[in-house]
Amino acid sequence: MVRAGEADRLDRFLSERLDMSRTRVQGLIEDGHVEVDGRAARKSERVEAGDRVTVAIPPPAPVDIPAEDLPLSVVFEDDHLLVVDKSAGMVVHPAPGHRTGTLVNALLFHVRDLSGVGGRLRPGIVHRLDRETSGLLVVAKSDRAHNGLADALRARRIKRLYSAACWGHLAESPLTVDAPIGRDPGDRKRMAVVEDGRRAITRVRVREHWLRAELLDVALQTGRTHQIRVHMAHVGHPVVGDRVYGVGWERGMGGPDRAWARELARRTPRQFLHAAELAFDHPITGQPLRFHAPLPPDLEAAAAWARDASHTGGQP
């Protein structure tokens, strides 16, 4: 039983006092596990001083996702969370066609009692990376940590910096791209800059200038699906190796630099996008945490060639 204090939305009131995400609290309300003064509650109602709020928290439903002993690069771990360096090619959570071999499968093997944290199908997952994007992810090991990290993400207090190679040369650096993102009306499997999309902000700075491409530092202020890839394609500089939003872009280049661009494309085995830095305050202790993951070997090899060939007029 929880006794209400001053008037507040029920879902917010319970989220703060039970150290649960509002999404999970709303699920408890919708499933009939919350009562206000002996009657079934509604998630949008407000509770006031003197209201008696009763919550019956059911045990975590069994997760039908198998735990698998998969390679997992753990950068940091304590009792509340862990930070992993995800390899390219690994899907974050199970989905149709990817029931096994995902990061969640590996986490369920590595972390005891993770199955009830943050929901059954995405246990512990606070944010995600595309399958072909490598780099840093933070994972919660308790509902309290999950709730704190989710709140920090919504409040933009988790700093995420990516390394990305993009075609062409930016007209200005630093550059801020502020353009709404939603489903592509012509292809629902893709995202696009659309007028009625959700606001998305990406900040870009050139780190290395190559012959017909650049290595960029890219900071996310929001976290929309495919945000970096969509925004860079939108401004005419798609991510190198992006087979959805930048496919074949290098073939349109003319002049003597075309061969350089085609060789870089050949040497880039996937989209050149890596979550390189992650910084946030620990959701339980408040300790500032900052992590860095260097480019993995496949992308570093492509970048090394691009640097050398840029200095030798397109010849390695």
Side-chain angles (χ1 to χ4, degrees), residues 12 46 56 96 99-100 109 179 185 212 231 235 238 247 295 298:
R12 184 185 300 112
R46 303 185 73 83
R99 184 173 179 272
T100 61
F109 183 90
R212 293 303 301 268
H231 269 176
V235 298
V247 61
L295 286 176
D298 60 344

Side-chain angles (χ1 to χ4, degrees), residues 1-4 13 34-39 47-55:
M1 181 184 71
V2 180
R3 183 174 293 277
F13 170 81
V34 181
E35 294 183 349
V36 176
D37 291 335
R39 58 173 176 77
V47 290
E48 301 180 355
D51 288 344
R52 290 172 61 88
V53 182
T54 305
V55 183

Side-chain angles (χ1 to χ4, degrees), residues 69-275:
D69 186 5
L70 301 171
L72 191 64
S73 177
V74 178
V75 177
F76 172 85
E77 182 173 10
D78 64 10
D79 292 339
H80 307 286
L81 59 87
L82 67 160
V83 175
V84 300
D85 186 355
K86 186 187 83 69
S87 60
M90 176 177 271
V91 175
V92 170
H93 53 75
H98 297 286
R99 184 173 179 272
T100 61
T102 73
L103 179 63
V104 164
N105 296 110
L107 289 169
L108 290 172
F109 183 90
H110 180 84
V111 182
R112 181 177 298 178
D113 298 328
L114 184 68
S115 60
V117 179
R120 292 177 58 245
L121 299 181
R122 303 182 182 184
I125 301 300
V126 179
H127 60 118
R128 61 182 294 273
L129 296 175
D130 295 340
R131 177 180 182 177
E132 295 303 324
T133 299
S134 54
L136 298 171
L137 273 171
V138 60
V139 178
K141 296 172 66 174
S142 68
D143 271 322
R144 185 181 177 194
H146 193 280
N147 193 32
L149 289 168
D151 287 345
L153 192 65
R154 282 191 293 269
R156 301 174 183 174
R157 296 195 303 269
I158 296 181
K159 308 301 182 184
R160 293 168 289 168
L161 185 69
Y162 291 72
S163 296
C166 293
W167 292 114
H169 299 135
L170 296 182
E172 58 180 292
S173 175
L175 170 70
T176 297
V177 184
D178 186 346
I181 291 177
R183 290 288 172 185
D184 187 333
D187 184 349
R188 303 299 292 177
K189 295 181 180 180
R190 293 164 48 109
M191 308 302 290
V193 170
V194 292
E195 186 175 352
D196 60 348
R198 300 175 67 188
R199 190 180 187 190
I201 303 173
T202 306
R203 305 192 187 282
V204 184
R205 183 184 299 272
V206 175
R207 190 197 314 172
E208 294 183 17
H209 186 87
W210 299 339
L211 195 62
R212 293 303 301 268
E214 289 172 326
L215 183 62
L216 308 176
D217 290 326
V218 185
L220 288 179
Q221 186 168 328
T222 55
R224 310 303 177 212
T225 301
H226 298 175
Q227 179 173 319
I228 295 173
R229 298 162 63 196
V230 171
H231 269 176
M232 296 315 298
H234 175 67
V235 298
H237 300 280
V239 173
V240 174
D242 189 339
R243 292 170 176 79
V244 175
Y245 302 103
V247 61
W249 198 87
E250 72 282 356
R251 293 196 294 270
M253 291 187 181
D257 299 337
R258 177 185 295 180
W260 183 96
R262 288 185 172 181
E263 183 62 16
L264 177 59
R266 188 188 70 81
R267 289 173 176 265
T268 305
R270 59 177 171 94
Q271 60 198 32
F272 199 121
L273 189 57
H274 175 69

